[in-house]
Amino acid sequence: MEDELLKIFNDDRQQIGVATREEVHEKGYWHETFHCWFLKQEKDELFLYLQLRSDRKKDYPNLLDITAAGHILANETIQDGIREINEEIGIDVAIEQLISLGTIDYCVVKENFIDKEIAHVYLYHSNHTLDDFHLQEEEVSGVVKVALNDFEQLWFGESDSIYIHGFKQEHHEKRVPIDITVGKEMFVPHDVLFYQTVINRIKEAKT
């Protein structure tokens, strides 16, 4: 995976070449990713589905993240990124079913790792239940749902914790229920502004 080739961009978002995924994160090149957020209506309430990253992941293991996301390879179009949905969570979705939320740039820096992403963000109105998700265990170890209003309150500082419900997959298909309250520390440390921007764009596009 570290040998995957990605397009790299300068600070003006002009492509300047191609580099391996490892080099991209070592040198801090801007690169493209695909994000898809699943939104589900249940009666009068909206819920987001979130993935629980596998404990095998090199980056951010055991943390909650976007429903499905991944890098766009050098030989792929933005639309090709939709493969991540089926690969990670086993749901078949056509690009025509997605609503574009535009691009969001963000940067995370930690020791020996610089992640500068040009994220192409999409919304999917889902009718799926938790039983419909089939996980790629190397990437994803669980799926949970959270009320959109609660998610908003957490990232806009109106609440310190939120309730999540779902499952964690253990030992090849054994599913253990998740019913807990979590704070921001349980989420991949995208910048707070990233989460706020996503929430605002979802609210604008949800109808």
Side-chain angles (χ1 to χ4, degrees):
M1 186 174 292
E2 291 298 304
D3 292 332
E4 291 177 343
L5 293 177
L6 310 178
K7 298 174 188 174
I8 57 174
F9 300 81
N10 61 22
D11 289 340
D12 294 323
R13 309 305 180 266
Q14 297 169 329
Q15 186 178 345
I16 57 174
V18 170
T20 65
R21 181 167 171 171
E22 181 178 25
E23 187 178 6
V24 161
H25 290 142
E26 282 181 354
K27 297 186 177 180
Y29 291 122
W30 286 100
H31 58 286
E32 293 179 301
T33 55
F34 174 91
H35 293 182
C36 186
W37 297 83
F38 277 36
L39 185 70
K40 184 179 184 182
Q41 176 109 30
E42 293 186 8
K43 297 181 180 178
D44 295 328
E45 192 161 16
L46 290 166
F47 290 87
L48 283 176
Y49 280 117
L50 305 171
Q51 69 163 259
L52 180 64
R53 293 169 67 88
S54 170
D55 58 8
R56 307 178 200 177
K57 293 284 287 182
K58 179 181 177 182
D59 308 320
Y60 315 121
N62 299 311
L63 294 182
L64 296 168
D65 203 0
I66 302 150
T67 322
H71 290 82
I72 297 172
L73 304 181
N75 63 348
E76 291 183 317
T77 66
I78 305 306
Q79 290 74 23
D80 288 331
I82 199 171
R83 63 176 168 74
E84 294 287 348
I85 301 173
N86 183 267
E87 288 177 5
E88 291 192 343
I89 57 177
I91 302 290
D92 285 319
V93 178
I95 193 68
E96 293 78 17
Q97 295 174 279
L98 303 185
I99 299 169
S100 174
L101 301 182
T103 59
I104 302 175
D105 296 354
Y106 70 91
C107 177
V108 175
V109 180
K110 60 181 185 177
E111 186 177 357
N112 300 321
F113 182 81
I114 306 170
D115 193 18
K116 298 170 76 171
E117 294 193 12
I118 305 167
H120 299 268
V121 186
Y122 292 86
L123 179 67
Y124 173 61
H125 286 285
S126 170
N127 291 316
H128 297 92
T129 69
L130 288 166
D131 291 336
D132 294 329
F133 293 92
H134 300 282
L135 309 183
Q136 181 184 22
E137 291 187 25
E138 303 81 32
E139 300 284 332
V140 183
S141 62
V143 173
V144 302
K145 64 180 183 179
V146 57
L148 179 60
N149 284 340
D150 293 348
F151 193 69
E152 179 180 2
Q153 288 179 2
L154 179 69
W155 292 106
F156 280 86
E158 298 169 19
S159 175
D160 293 328
S161 61
I162 54 176
Y163 170 72
I164 61 172
H165 163 73
F167 70 89
K168 183 175 182 179
Q169 188 165 297
E170 297 180 346
H171 308 299
H172 306 290
E173 298 302 325
K174 180 183 178 184
R175 294 189 170 190
V176 178
I178 295 176
D179 288 282
I180 56 174
T181 299
V182 299
K184 292 177 183 175
E185 72 282 351
M186 266 299 295
F187 289 82
V188 170
H190 304 303
D191 190 82
V192 170
L193 182 60
F194 167 79
Y195 283 110
Q196 292 176 345
T197 302
V198 167
I199 291 164
N200 286 334
R201 294 190 187 181
I202 287 174
K203 291 173 64 180
E204 291 169 2
K206 68 184 180 182
T207 55

